[in-house]
Amino acid sequence: MLHISQYQHFMATTDPENKSPTLPLPPAEVDYSKVDVILRFLLLAASVVALAVIVSSDQTEQVLFQDVLLPQPAKFKYSPAFVYFVAAFSVSGLYALVSALASISVIQKPGFKLKFLLHFIFWDALILGITASATGAAGSVAYIGLKGNSHVGWIKVCNIYDKFCRHLAGSIAVALFGSIVTVLLIWLSAFTIHSRVPK
């Protein structure tokens, strides 16, 4: 015969009302690693295109100087702002390639994901500062070339160097797109880290 204590223990373990409720499983974490890789390759493409367009912008035209037509070239290297632009997006393109390869390695080794995300946020913010400032500097000089500035006597040149100005406009537009992609990368990394914080 069962002792009273053994009978009470048996009833407690078999009574469905006394069973502890099962906790629901936490929702599966959404992995944005592939989106991160795509955005980094977009940044690489934008950097390469912006560089290719501005480097190929050289144009030579006949300009009247003291009643004499002289060949006057227009090149990006004549402006410090455009040189800075080329340097900034050279760094951006190299960084985009290296970080894209690192992001691919994170997909293969997810254990290092959080550490990489912290590094990504830091370096992405740095690259954003460099590219955004370079885009703004190049855009301001290009605007003066397009409109001039009568207050200081700067004449517009885009009516003469049309190809040069078109290349500048296209390069700056692509560079702006690259800066927006970098902002999205920072937001994506921050959101992924935030989603890992226990609620």
Side-chain angles (χ1 to χ4, degrees), residues 105-175:
S105 68
V106 169
I107 296 176
Q108 299 173 346
K109 298 179 180 180
F112 297 97
K113 182 176 181 179
L114 184 59
K115 185 176 181 180
F116 270 95
L117 286 175
L118 292 172
H119 287 291
F120 282 160
I121 288 182
F122 174 77
W123 289 107
D124 289 347
L126 179 62
I127 293 298
L128 175 62
I130 294 173
T131 56
S133 62
T135 303
S140 62
V141 175
Y143 182 81
I144 292 174
L146 178 64
K147 297 292 186 179
N149 191 322
S150 59
H151 300 288
V152 294
W154 293 341
I155 62 173
K156 59 183 179 181
V157 298
C158 287
N159 56 332
I160 301 173
Y161 299 100
D162 53 343
K163 173 201 167 185
F164 180 72
C165 290
R166 285 198 306 269
H167 278 244
L168 290 181
S171 182
I172 292 170
V174 176

Side-chain angles (χ1 to χ4, degrees), residues 49-50 62 95 105 142 161 180:
V49 171
Q62 299 291 328
Y95 168 74
S105 68
Y161 299 100
I180 294 173

Side-chain angles (χ1 to χ4, degrees), residues 58-99:
D58 294 357
Q59 183 181 4
T60 301
E61 292 291 338
Q62 299 291 328
V63 178
L64 187 63
F65 179 73
Q66 294 182 349
D67 297 330
V68 179
L69 285 175
L70 297 176
Q72 292 291 330
K75 299 181 179 181
F76 78 89
K77 64 182 180 181
Y78 293 164
S79 170
F82 296 149
V83 173
Y84 173 48
F85 181 90
V86 170
F89 278 90
S90 297
V91 173
S92 173
L94 179 61
Y95 168 74
L97 177 60
V98 173
S99 63

